[in-house]
Amino acid sequence: MKKLIAFSIFLIISHLSIGQDVKSIIEDLEKKRFAAQVSKDAGFLNKVFADDLIYVHSNGKMDNKEAYIASVLNGGSVYSKIDIENISIRVYNNNQTAVVNGKILVTQPPVDGKPTLLPLQYLVVYVKDKKNGWQLNSWQSLKRPN
């Protein structure tokens, strides 16, 4: 009986630590993705975005993977800096799906000498693909009041 209880506790702790590892991986991916958007790193963005990406901007415009990456590269979506203010990650589907809710502050290039600040709240869905690893499938954001 003691062995069964000890084994059960081990399984629970193992499951919790795996979930925590996934949360750390996803948080790191979010940081790297935001950095890639700022630096226009098409290679990383192509790797992390799923082929069926749906990217809904805070103004309601919707892009697919190809259109969004093109907008980052050609200046349609310009970021000077992206700061994560808050992030919450929930893991589902036997650690194969992660849902991220976050708040970021996007700094865009100056207009009339002042940088444009865009406070956003967002939702992201990641799914772990056997071939490509963690893939961002959906992004949706909205502007927060200043």
Side-chain angles (χ1 to χ4, degrees):
M1 181 69 168
K2 287 182 183 178
K3 288 182 180 180
L4 180 61
I5 292 172
F7 182 69
S8 297
I9 291 171
F10 170 77
L11 286 177
I12 291 168
I13 291 171
S14 296
H15 180 72
L16 292 174
S17 68
I18 289 171
Q20 187 57 44
D21 289 343
V22 170
K23 289 179 180 183
S24 297
I25 290 166
I26 297 299
E27 185 171 354
D28 187 53
L29 272 176
E30 283 291 88
K31 290 175 183 176
K32 288 177 179 176
R33 178 177 62 88
F34 289 138
Q37 288 173 238
V38 171
S39 67
K40 299 181 179 189
D41 182 347
F44 185 83
L45 296 176
N46 268 302
K47 179 181 172 189
V48 76
F49 288 148
D51 289 339
D52 64 347
L53 172 72
I54 296 174
Y55 194 102
V56 181
H57 298 263
S58 62
N59 64 6
K61 181 181 180 232
M62 188 166 68
D63 282 327
N64 62 18
K65 177 179 180 175
E66 183 180 294
Y68 179 67
I69 293 174
S71 78
V72 169
L73 298 179
N74 70 24
S77 297
V78 181
Y79 312 99
S80 298
K81 187 167 122 178
I82 302 174
D83 293 311
I84 297 174
E85 296 178 337
N86 187 315
I87 191 167
S88 171
I89 301 164
R90 294 170 289 147
V91 180
Y92 300 100
N93 192 25
N94 292 320
N95 297 311
Q96 301 300 302
T97 305
V99 176
V100 181
N101 294 93
K103 292 182 180 178
I104 56 175
L105 181 61
V106 176
T107 304
Q108 295 176 315
V111 174
D112 296 330
K114 293 177 71 173
T116 302
L117 300 177
L118 185 59
L120 298 178
Q121 188 161 332
Y122 73 92
L123 172 72
V124 165
V125 177
Y126 281 93
V127 175
K128 190 170 186 181
D129 181 84
K130 288 181 182 183
K131 181 180 173 189
N132 298 314
W134 286 101
Q135 300 274 281
L136 191 157
N137 293 82
S138 298
W139 160 277
Q140 186 155 2
S141 62
L142 59 94
K143 294 177 187 173
R144 293 183 287 142
N146 288 335

